[in-house]
Amino acid sequence: MTASSDTNALAIAIVGVGKIARDQHIPALARDPRFQLAATASRSGGVQGVETFETLGALLAARPDIPAVSLCMPPVPRFAAAREAIAAGRHVMLEKPPGASLAEVFRLEALARQAGVTLFASWHSRAAAGVAPAREWLAGRRPKRIRIDWKEDVRKWHPGQAWIWEPGGLGVFDPGINALSILTEICPVPLHLTASTLTFPENRATPIAADLTFTDGDGLDATAGFDWRQEGGDIWQMEIDTDAGQLRLLDGGARLFIDGQETTLDDTGEYPTLYRQFGQLIAEGRSDVDAAPLIHVADAFMLGRHLRGDPFHD
């Protein structure tokens, strides 16, 4: 089953049927009674039993009955697709990151507002089970030290995906921005970047590793290390020492520890949570376009000290 059979469900189309769509979006929609997967647009194959179009333009012209689209293609072509869908009066959900540049994101936000449609810049890691409880625990506490380690094997998670190594593909910030989306969601004080060191393979245009330093302007020690050369298991963790205890998020936010004790969490899944939020935004006539994680990435490139590393071969 690929879609809800509820006649009251909102018809939605997926644009870009690649790995993330097949692994996360399609299963989430199949379990969500609020939505019905009514069509796809993709050059890499569709979904059995669902009408497929080669282009978004063809889909929009043929299916005016579909009010919402979820854009799952890489970030560089996403602006043109989102603009086309908004101009056609459709609600739009954007995979992370919401654009290849900040200007694109802010332009789309303005276009959606003018068109009176919902635009949702989704950050799936914010929907991890431990993130909301972490935000609640940190509220009213003063962070003294923050350390993020986000390290994985690019060959495992992005096999053969050449676009991530091209300008706009973000390189190691493709997973690293997940950590930044959690940080900007839970940190009770505003942070800005003060320094970054970016390591680029000599044959690639985007970084394979990054070390970042942040400040709140008031003495907070905050650092992050991202690396795509990890071997021996993924590391997705965040440790925050405060004036009233320590918080640790492990497994990308799926596990939460307070002062060394693990907290029992209610995990409904990241992408089911995102689609529930998208449905609520549409019902309420609102948009949610938070560019804060992408601002940190842009600052990392602006402030970055560039190092050249060994060539990378997939």
Side-chain angles (χ1 to χ4, degrees), residues 6 13 20 30 61 64 102 150 157 265 281 296 310:
D6 188 343
I20 189 65
L102 288 166
W150 223 259
W157 293 102
L265 301 172
L281 289 169
H296 283 319
D310 295 334

Side-chain angles (χ1 to χ4, degrees), residues 73-87:
M73 73 273 281
V76 170
R78 203 174 292 150
F79 171 80
R83 183 183 181 189
E84 186 176 12
I86 290 169

Side-chain angles (χ1 to χ4, degrees), residues 37-234:
L37 180 55
T40 65
S42 179
R43 293 184 174 89
S44 57
V47 177
Q48 185 175 6
V50 176
E51 187 174 16
T52 299
F53 297 87
E54 186 172 343
T55 67
L56 172 60
L59 186 156
L60 295 172
R63 296 296 304 270
D65 59 310
I66 298 177
V69 298
S70 181
L71 302 184
C72 303
M73 73 273 281
V76 170
R78 203 174 292 150
F79 171 80
R83 183 183 181 189
E84 186 176 12
I86 290 169
R90 315 303 169 93
H91 307 295
V92 176
M93 176 170 162
L94 302 169
E95 244 297 348
K96 64 88 185 173
S101 74
L102 288 166
E104 288 183 357
V105 178
F106 297 144
R107 176 82 184 283
L108 290 176
E109 182 179 24
L111 290 172
R113 184 169 56 251
Q114 294 165 9
V117 299
T118 291
L119 180 65
F120 180 32
S122 69
W123 299 103
H124 69 82
S125 288
R126 286 183 174 177
V131 172
R135 182 183 64 244
E136 293 172 7
W137 186 85
L138 285 168
R141 288 176 166 86
R142 174 70 187 173
K144 300 170 65 178
R145 185 186 70 90
I146 299 173
R147 175 62 197 177
I148 299 170
D149 291 287
W150 223 259
K151 303 178 181 182
E152 62 185 53
D153 182 353
V154 63
R155 293 182 176 91
K156 172 184 175 182
W157 293 102
H158 300 273
Q161 295 181 13
W163 62 267
I164 56 177
W165 298 110
E166 297 298 327
L170 296 188
V172 74
F173 285 103
D174 180 77
I177 204 170
N178 295 334
L180 298 175
S181 72
I182 294 175
L183 178 65
T184 52
E185 179 74 1
I186 70 174
C187 188
V189 297
L191 302 176
H192 65 272
L193 205 73
T194 59
S196 69
T197 300
L198 311 179
T199 300
F200 290 74
E202 64 180 28
N203 61 336
R204 303 290 178 171
T206 55
I208 199 168
D211 291 293
L212 312 179
T213 302
F214 303 86
T215 186
D216 65 344
D218 213 14
L220 175 63
D221 173 18
T223 58
F226 306 150
D227 203 318
W228 254 353
R229 301 164 297 189
Q230 174 69 9
E231 297 180 358
D234 304 313

